[in-house]
Amino acid sequence: MTTLSKRLCLSAILALSTFAFAATASAETSKLVIESGDSAQSRQNAAMDKEQWNETRNLRQMVNKRTEKEWDKGDVAFDARDKCQQSANVNAYWEPNTLRCLDRRTGRTVAP
């Protein structure tokens, strides 16, 4: 009988300790930590991003200027082609590779 009572007592203690452990474990997982996001690492990352953005500004501006220059070049060539084709000079023709109006006889540039 003493063996059975010892087993019951140990089982009860084990059940209570398991219940107590489970209760404390669930209490630990229910904590919520809220940070402002203003840490040294986030400030460093923001500074690095800003520095890289500023360093690439010159490159972005060059690309934009180049694109605008190419657009203007095409626009001027389009107008020049129209003038060349509407020219009264029968020897004038439009050269698409060089984007110039040339004379058929001499190959020189013609002002339409």
Side-chain angles (χ1 to χ4, degrees), residues 50-66:
K50 183 178 179 184
E51 183 179 339
Q52 183 173 359
W53 178 262
N54 290 337
E55 287 177 359
T56 59
R57 174 185 290 156
N58 190 28
L59 180 61
R60 291 190 312 272
Q61 288 174 344
M62 287 173 49
V63 167
N64 289 340
K65 286 178 186 176
R66 181 68 179 172

Side-chain angles (χ1 to χ4, degrees), residues 1-108:
M1 182 97 174
T2 58
T3 312
L4 183 62
S5 64
K6 285 182 185 178
R7 285 187 182 181
L8 286 174
C9 185
L10 283 174
S11 298
I13 292 174
L14 183 61
L16 286 176
S17 65
T18 305
F19 179 76
F21 179 75
T24 59
S26 66
E28 291 296 320
T29 58
S30 66
K31 287 185 179 179
L32 178 63
V33 178
I34 300 174
E35 294 182 8
S36 67
D38 189 27
S39 65
Q41 182 66 37
S42 66
R43 286 191 302 270
Q44 178 69 24
N45 288 342
M48 289 172 53
D49 289 344
K50 183 178 179 184
E51 183 179 339
Q52 183 173 359
W53 178 262
N54 290 337
E55 287 177 359
T56 59
R57 174 185 290 156
N58 190 28
L59 180 61
R60 291 190 312 272
Q61 288 174 344
M62 287 173 49
V63 167
N64 289 340
K65 286 178 186 176
R66 181 68 179 172
T67 303
E68 185 177 340
K69 185 178 177 182
E70 289 294 323
W71 175 265
D72 291 343
K73 185 178 175 183
D75 196 29
V76 168
F78 185 78
D79 292 340
R81 185 187 72 193
D82 284 347
K83 288 180 184 175
C84 184
Q85 291 173 347
Q86 295 171 1
S87 173
N89 187 348
V90 287
N91 290 322
Y93 76 99
W94 180 252
E95 175 60 42
N97 293 333
T98 60
L99 302 178
R100 295 185 300 169
C101 187
L102 303 176
D103 189 334
R104 291 182 200 281
R105 295 173 293 171
T106 62
R108 293 185 182 182

